[in-house]
Amino acid sequence: FGSDLDVPNHVRRASAAMANGRPNSMGVTAWVPVSPAVASARPRRLPGSFRGPGAVPAASSLVAAGTGDATPRRVVGWCQVAGIAAGVAAASTMRRRSSPLASPPPAGEGGAGGSGGEPQEQTWLTPTTAPFLLLVLAILYGGNVPLLKGIENVTPLELTAPELLVLRFIMASLTILPWAIFNLGKVATVAGPAAELALYLTVGYTLQILGLEKTAATTVAVATASTSIIVQLLGFIFEKKAISPVVTACSVGTIAGIAIFVTAAPEGAPIPLVEKLWNIFRMISAPKMPHEAVIGGVPGEALALMGATFFGIHVWRTTRIISEGDRSGTLKGSDFELALAASQNLIATVMLAIVSYFDSPYDLARQMTVLDRLQIDTWFYILACGALCTGLPSILELFAFKIVDPALASLIYCTIPLWGTMLGIIFLREPFGMQSVVGGILIIVCSLTPSVLEMLDSKRKDEEKIS
């Protein structure tokens, strides 16, 4: 190492221990038959030796000094000491990397975002916590149900469903807009896949709204529950994944549970006659939408099923894009997920605004007038509906999709109608009956069973690896 370079004590101890064939404190054993003189001799530095971190100094600069050996034995002794030094360097590197204060490896050597290795996984998400995160997000998505009911009761008739959806996504974009403003380059990097996902969302929501105009909400809810089966079919067709009998059976059970749940007649006071007449008046007085000239003959059930298909495509493609990661290698850590969420929400907002503009019976000036008539509490409902129950889940779900299988994720999201009804019972004092309870239990059991089995299987595999 040279007289001007301090040698750490643990390196000296490890060198001496390995030279005598004994295991050192770092767990490295080297049975090298060298004389104690070689091990204890003070080495001298030769020209060209290395001092940089990660180098093996002794492999090029350690020579036994003062032994008086002949040249052949000197060469053998140099090789022996070089082997010792290599083991010391490896052991020292192991200790340095295992230290909790060690810095992460640089890009290109297995670090996050490096092109030469896998990106670092999110430490706060595991095969156990990721399904629970999706369940919490399903509850947040379910919060749209009571919020939209409250908005419907206070908004003017001129505010159409597509326009309300645009306002909802504008508020959803606000949740990540500050980050997007300071990271425009990162957002632009994922504009391609984000536009694809935004297109699936736009078509899915549009078809769902159109289906609600022609059929009951219960039918749309049951059709949306088929998303899990659609995701499985997509994986079977394009990825050659085997269809899981357990997931398929639970998907069918979830659809049955939703059918039981949404068709339950609530126990309590019947709907007043005045409210029934008001609902009929709203339907009759509603303006004719331009799309009715194009899809007027398409059944509402078909529209709802097509909307569920696009929602399934969105879940499946999102998991594929997340698993592939940033192909450019420029986004580090969680920047890829944040940029994808920001770009997706912004592009979806623009797409929905275009649909709303062309599919509206009113001109732009009339639409702006309607917005001016909205009250403060209505804007509060729209803000909560967009930011809390749409924007925040759309960001966090991207992290969970890295771990949870898309079929299981879509199955967990089938609980959204259940949570929406429960939140309506809590905040809107809506009645419910025994049939709703039975349907809700069936939804919970069937939608969460595959995830529970997956967590138990993952735990068993981890225990087998440890043992």
Side-chain angles (χ1 to χ4, degrees):
F1 290 93
S3 59
D4 59 340
L5 183 65
D6 293 333
V7 181
N9 291 329
H10 73 274
V11 177
R12 294 182 183 275
R13 291 195 299 269
S15 302
M18 288 190 293
N20 291 287
R22 293 184 289 103
N24 62 86
S25 59
M26 290 175 285
V28 179
T29 304
W31 298 97
V32 184
V34 296
S35 63
V38 174
S40 59
R42 183 178 181 85
R44 58 185 178 86
R45 183 165 57 88
L46 295 181
S49 60
F50 297 94
R51 296 191 188 184
V56 186
S60 60
S61 62
L62 283 184
V63 176
T67 58
D69 294 337
T71 301
R73 294 194 59 184
R74 182 180 297 273
V75 174
V76 173
W78 180 86
C79 294
Q80 292 168 345
V81 178
I84 297 173
V88 173
S92 180
T93 303
M94 291 172 58
R95 169 177 287 188
R96 183 171 62 252
R97 290 183 177 178
S98 62
S99 173
L101 299 179
S103 58
E109 298 183 5
S115 58
E118 295 294 332
Q120 294 179 345
E121 296 293 335
Q122 298 292 332
T123 56
W124 56 281
L125 276 182
T126 64
T128 302
T129 59
F132 284 104
L133 174 61
L134 288 178
L135 187 61
V136 174
L137 300 183
I139 297 175
L140 290 178
Y141 276 127
N144 286 301
V145 175
L147 288 173
L148 290 175
K149 288 182 179 180
I151 294 172
E152 183 182 7
N153 294 330
V154 295
T155 53
L157 292 176
E158 294 85 356
L159 184 64
T160 62
E163 294 168 355
L164 180 58
L165 186 60
V166 173
L167 295 178
R168 174 181 167 186
F169 266 82
I170 290 176
M171 299 303 177
S173 300
L174 293 179
T175 56
I176 199 170
L177 185 60
W179 184 91
I181 292 176
F182 291 99
N183 298 273
L184 291 178
K186 298 177 181 179
V187 174
T189 303
V190 298
E196 178 190 352
L197 298 180
L199 178 63
Y200 300 143
L201 274 183
T202 301
V203 176
Y205 275 115
T206 302
L207 291 174
Q208 187 182 68
I209 291 174
L210 299 180
L212 285 170
E213 294 179 356
K214 296 186 175 185
T215 186
T218 56
T219 304
V220 176
V222 174
T224 306
S226 62
T227 302
S228 178
I229 298 178
I230 295 172
V231 170
Q232 282 199 86
L233 291 176
L234 292 172
F236 175 76
I237 296 173
F238 296 100
E239 299 179 280
K240 307 303 180 183
K241 285 186 177 180
I243 296 179
S244 172
V246 175
V247 177
T248 303
C250 289
S251 299
V252 174
T254 302
I255 294 175
I258 291 179
I260 295 173
F261 183 80
V262 298
T263 57
E267 296 180 357
I271 300 177
L273 179 60
V274 176
E275 185 175 348
K276 290 182 178 180
L277 295 176
W278 172 248
N279 292 334
I280 295 175
F281 172 75
R282 287 176 64 96
M283 295 178 60
I284 296 175
S285 59
K288 298 296 181 182
M289 305 291 286
H291 67 262
E292 295 179 0
V294 180
I295 59 173
V298 180
E301 294 80 2
L303 295 174
L305 188 58
M306 287 190 293
T309 302
F310 276 93
F311 285 138
I313 296 174
H314 177 265
V315 173
W316 177 69
R317 282 296 298 154
T318 301
T319 54
R320 289 290 302 274
I321 293 173
I322 289 295
S323 62
E324 294 172 358
D326 177 31
R327 295 183 177 181
S328 65
T330 58
L331 301 182
K332 304 293 192 280
S334 59
D335 287 348
F336 178 72
E337 289 80 8
L338 294 175
L340 186 64
S343 185
Q344 175 186 227
N345 286 338
L346 292 173
I347 296 176
T349 302
V350 174
M351 290 182 177
L352 290 170
I354 295 174
V355 173
S356 174
Y357 175 77
F358 288 101
D359 191 29
S360 176
Y362 310 112
D363 55 14
L364 184 60
R366 179 75 176 274
Q367 293 176 347
M368 294 295 102
T369 303
V370 173
L371 295 181
D372 291 337
R373 293 166 53 190
L374 296 181
Q375 300 177 358
I376 298 297
D377 55 347
T378 304
W379 283 110
F380 174 78
Y381 283 131
I382 296 175
L383 176 63
C385 186
L388 180 61
C389 299
T390 302
L392 182 61
S394 67
I395 300 171
L396 296 179
E397 69 183 5
L398 297 182
F399 297 94
F401 284 165
K402 297 175 64 175
I403 300 176
V404 182
D405 185 83
L408 300 183
S410 59
L411 198 55
I412 294 175
Y413 274 172
C414 287
T415 61
I416 291 177
L418 173 63
W419 306 124
T421 302
M422 292 183 64
L423 292 174
I425 293 172
I426 296 174
F427 294 102
L428 302 181
R429 301 293 190 269
E430 294 181 345
F432 69 99
M434 184 55 64
Q435 183 177 340
S436 299
V437 175
V438 174
I441 294 175
L442 186 59
I443 294 172
I444 290 292
V445 172
C446 292
S447 61
L448 300 183
T449 295
S451 297
V452 173
L453 296 177
E454 184 74 15
M455 287 187 293
L456 294 177
D457 184 64
S458 176
K459 183 178 180 181
R460 179 184 59 81
K461 291 180 179 179
D462 292 340
E463 292 177 351
E464 290 179 354
K465 290 180 180 179
I466 295 176
S467 61

